[in-house]
Amino acid sequence: RNVFRCFSAWVEGNLALFRKAILLLRDSFNATFSEKEIALLSDDRRGSFKDNFKLIFDGFARLAGGGFKVEPDDRAYQDFLSSINVRDCLMHPKKLSDLDITPEQIRVAASGFKWYETKTMEMMILMGRRFAASYPTLLTPEERSLFGLTS
């Protein structure tokens, strides 16, 4: 149970940081967002977790220059969402069985956790490359080479 709770807290913390980064850096990185998207990003209490997650992940990828998208039909993404549903049942049980965790839920959660970790790392690498390309003088030659920048 604690693994589900801690993982969800980690995801929610990351999403809060990604949301703030989008709002703070969108103009500097010429990333365009609709008025509706800005309103949703500005208020973290609106919408479902799934909708907010997709908006923030897709938005952060847009900020990072593209190359990443949440694919709704991806099995591992569905596993990720299932693990969040388990967390919701644990935190807000409606019946006693909501507190039970099955071996299948643990297997699905492991797949979902791995998907999230991998996709978050992909996004962070994209963002690092975008930042390095936008502000190369802030980096040492060794740091620039990490992001594939030659000069």
Side-chain angles (χ1 to χ4, degrees), residues 74-109:
D74 182 346
R75 180 73 245 158
Y77 172 64
Q78 292 301 317
D79 290 347
F80 167 75
L81 292 178
S82 293
S83 68
I84 298 298
N85 289 337
V86 170
R87 178 261 181 209
D88 291 346
C89 287
L90 291 170
M91 297 303 290
H92 311 287
K94 297 195 177 17
K95 52 191 182 298
L96 189 58
S97 63
D98 286 344
L99 297 174
D100 294 334
I101 299 173
T102 68
E104 177 61 12
Q105 287 172 315
I106 292 170
R107 186 203 62 74
V108 166

Side-chain angles (χ1 to χ4, degrees), residues 14-28:
N14 284 339
L15 292 179
L17 289 173
F18 294 158
R19 178 190 307 269
K20 297 281 187 208
I22 292 167
L23 293 170
L24 184 66
L25 298 172
R26 71 182 190 270
D27 292 334
S28 298

Side-chain angles (χ1 to χ4, degrees), residues 11-143:
V11 169
E12 289 170 6
N14 284 339
L15 292 179
L17 289 173
F18 294 158
R19 178 190 307 269
K20 297 281 187 208
I22 292 167
L23 293 170
L24 184 66
L25 298 172
R26 71 182 190 270
D27 292 334
S28 298
F29 285 0
N30 296 319
T32 56
F33 293 86
S34 70
E35 288 183 29
K36 180 180 177 185
E37 288 172 323
I38 296 300
L40 290 169
L41 288 164
S42 298
D43 183 359
D44 61 357
R45 295 166 290 157
R46 293 170 60 175
S48 69
F49 175 86
K50 182 179 174 181
D51 292 340
N52 282 328
F53 180 84
K54 187 161 178 7
L55 171 66
I56 293 168
F57 247 50
D58 287 349
F60 195 80
R62 199 177 325 160
L63 185 71
F68 177 88
K69 187 165 178 62
V70 173
E71 296 296 338
D73 295 332
D74 182 346
R75 180 73 245 158
Y77 172 64
Q78 292 301 317
D79 290 347
F80 167 75
L81 292 178
S82 293
S83 68
I84 298 298
N85 289 337
V86 170
R87 178 261 181 209
D88 291 346
C89 287
L90 291 170
M91 297 303 290
H92 311 287
K94 297 195 177 17
K95 52 191 182 298
L96 189 58
S97 63
D98 286 344
L99 297 174
D100 294 334
I101 299 173
T102 68
E104 177 61 12
Q105 287 172 315
I106 292 170
R107 186 203 62 74
V108 166
S111 169
F113 295 176
K114 182 69 174 170
W115 177 87
Y116 178 77
E117 179 181 44
T118 301
K119 294 303 181 185
T120 299
M121 187 58 65
E122 286 175 18
M123 280 198 327
M124 297 309 290
I125 290 169
L126 284 171
M127 190 61 188
R129 286 184 180 142
R130 176 77 187 264
F131 184 84
S134 298
Y135 303 101
T137 58
L138 297 178
L139 304 174
T140 66
E142 294 82 18
E143 291 167 333

